[in-house]
Amino acid sequence: MNKHKLSFNNAFFKSPKPCGDFYLVQVAEAICAPNSVTEEHCQEYFEITYTYSGMGCCLIDGEEIELSSEVCSIALPGDKHSMVSSEKSPLRYYCIAFYAKKNSYGEELINNIKNYCTENQKRNIAVSSMVNLFSNILQEIKAEDTFSLRYIGLFIEQLLIECNRSILGFEKPHYLTNRSDEELLTYDIISYIDQNLESIVHIPDLEEVFFYNATFLSKVFLAQTGMTIKSYITNKKMEYANSLLKKGRSITEISRRLGYSSIHSFSRAYKNHFSKTPSSSKNKTE
């Protein structure tokens, strides 16, 4: 009963290792037996546990927090903490315990996560593709060369940034490789529009950026996405306008920021897109 197996990839440091903005206390890869339970312990440091595969739960102060693939569970100093693996699909996970130097960027990233956990009473953060970061940390511990500790600090920072991105709802950009010229051009157009919504007014504005005439750009974009550049710009502007309304921005400010000639032209575009006026959307948020 209550057996658990830790792989050989386990490192615990009685004297925390300084790694850039951080002090590393422990990092491990755990492969659990069915129904295994790790002994409950009082958490001393900030800890991230990332479920690579399997199912189970994390017990924090007696509360069960469900674990599943590609989910981070956060344990804070002072928590009473243990892990329980399922019988049919045993857990395989990575965990890392550390703390940050005072007034560092690392401390800011940790505090953002702490605030999210306490304000929302949540300890789970869905984050994909964290395995390589944990594997790199374990690899650098074994390397022990001149650059290892610096690398580890950078990998820990990336772990925290990925958690912060997920909390804030940011989508990680995907760079296209081995694509045709048309696909890459379309990707660049989309990226440019997304980052310059407030300055783009007309499709010809793109000609000076991409050195192709508007007709050619429109033809390529339509062939790759199935929609026109004009429709894409309108959709993105309306999504942006809606988010600004929810933040309490005035209709006058929004229409000006998005390059509409008047409040009436903005209101007409908004109503055509959402089938309601911006005023009605603004009133619902107040």
Side-chain angles (χ1 to χ4, degrees):
M1 294 294 292
N2 294 349
K3 291 180 180 179
H4 68 278
K5 179 181 179 182
L6 285 178
S7 76
F8 64 94
N9 288 325
N10 182 33
F12 176 80
F13 307 104
K14 292 183 179 179
S15 298
K17 286 189 173 293
C19 307
D21 281 355
F22 308 97
Y23 290 95
L24 178 63
V25 179
Q26 183 181 21
V27 60
E29 178 184 8
I31 302 174
C32 298
N35 293 324
S36 65
V37 180
T38 59
E39 184 178 354
E40 184 181 69
H41 58 281
C42 186
Q43 197 66 29
E44 292 186 59
Y45 306 100
F46 181 85
E47 183 174 282
I48 297 175
T49 300
Y50 179 72
T51 303
Y52 175 58
S53 63
M55 300 181 68
C57 68
C58 174
L59 293 173
I60 295 181
D61 294 334
E63 180 182 352
E64 285 190 11
I65 298 169
E66 186 178 346
L67 299 176
S68 58
S69 180
E70 297 192 329
V71 169
C72 287
S73 64
I74 306 298
L76 304 179
D79 288 344
K80 290 184 178 179
H81 177 237
S82 66
M83 303 285 289
V84 181
S85 181
S86 76
E87 178 179 6
K88 294 182 178 180
S89 183
L91 285 169
R92 178 176 179 180
Y93 63 85
Y94 295 90
C95 64
I96 184 167
F98 57 93
Y99 59 97
K101 293 180 180 178
K102 293 291 185 182
N103 302 317
S104 66
Y105 181 58
E107 185 179 51
E108 180 183 336
L109 292 172
I110 290 174
N111 287 338
N112 290 341
I113 297 173
K114 286 182 178 179
N115 292 337
Y116 168 80
C117 291
T118 54
E119 290 174 6
N120 296 279
Q121 296 183 333
K122 291 182 67 175
R123 293 300 185 89
N124 276 1
I125 303 172
V127 186
S128 61
S129 303
M130 300 275 272
V131 174
N132 286 342
L133 291 174
F134 280 100
S135 298
N136 287 339
I137 292 171
L138 289 164
Q139 182 178 351
E140 290 301 328
I141 286 173
K142 290 185 177 182
E144 293 186 342
D145 62 31
T146 308
F147 304 103
S148 291
L149 293 180
R150 182 62 178 169
Y151 259 132
I152 290 170
L154 294 173
F155 291 137
I156 293 174
E157 184 174 307
Q158 287 183 65
L159 289 172
L160 293 171
I161 288 174
E162 292 299 334
C163 289
N164 275 269
R165 266 183 166 167
S166 179
I167 288 169
L168 295 171
F170 293 163
E171 292 186 7
K172 190 174 182 178
H174 297 283
Y175 184 74
L176 299 175
T177 58
N178 299 322
R179 305 294 185 180
S180 66
D181 292 344
E182 290 78 9
E183 288 175 307
L184 290 171
L185 177 58
T186 302
Y187 173 83
D188 287 342
I189 293 171
I190 289 172
S191 297
Y192 182 80
I193 292 172
D194 290 352
Q195 296 170 25
N196 297 275
L197 275 178
E198 294 189 13
S199 60
I200 295 174
V201 179
H202 305 292
I203 296 175
D205 295 342
L206 300 174
E207 292 182 337
E208 296 182 3
V209 178
F210 295 102
F211 304 105
Y212 291 109
N213 63 52
T215 302
F216 176 77
L217 292 173
S218 298
K219 181 180 178 181
V220 169
F221 194 90
L222 179 61
Q224 293 297 319
T225 66
M227 67 189 304
T228 65
I229 293 179
K230 181 179 179 181
S231 296
Y232 184 80
I233 291 174
T234 300
N235 289 344
K236 297 301 290 188
K237 284 196 173 189
M238 291 301 103
E239 291 173 9
Y240 186 41
N242 210 35
S243 69
L244 292 175
L245 285 170
K246 290 178 180 179
K247 293 177 181 178
R249 301 293 190 269
S250 70
I251 296 171
T252 301
E253 178 191 347
I254 295 170
S255 62
R256 175 183 56 78
R257 287 176 64 170
L258 293 181
Y260 286 91
S261 57
S262 67
I263 296 176
H264 301 296
S265 61
F266 165 69
S267 297
R268 185 167 56 251
Y270 188 93
K271 187 174 182 180
N272 288 338
H273 188 81
F274 291 110
S275 299
K276 59 183 177 181
T277 65
S279 299
S280 63
S281 294
K282 185 174 177 60
N283 291 335
K284 286 183 180 180
T285 62
E286 294 176 345

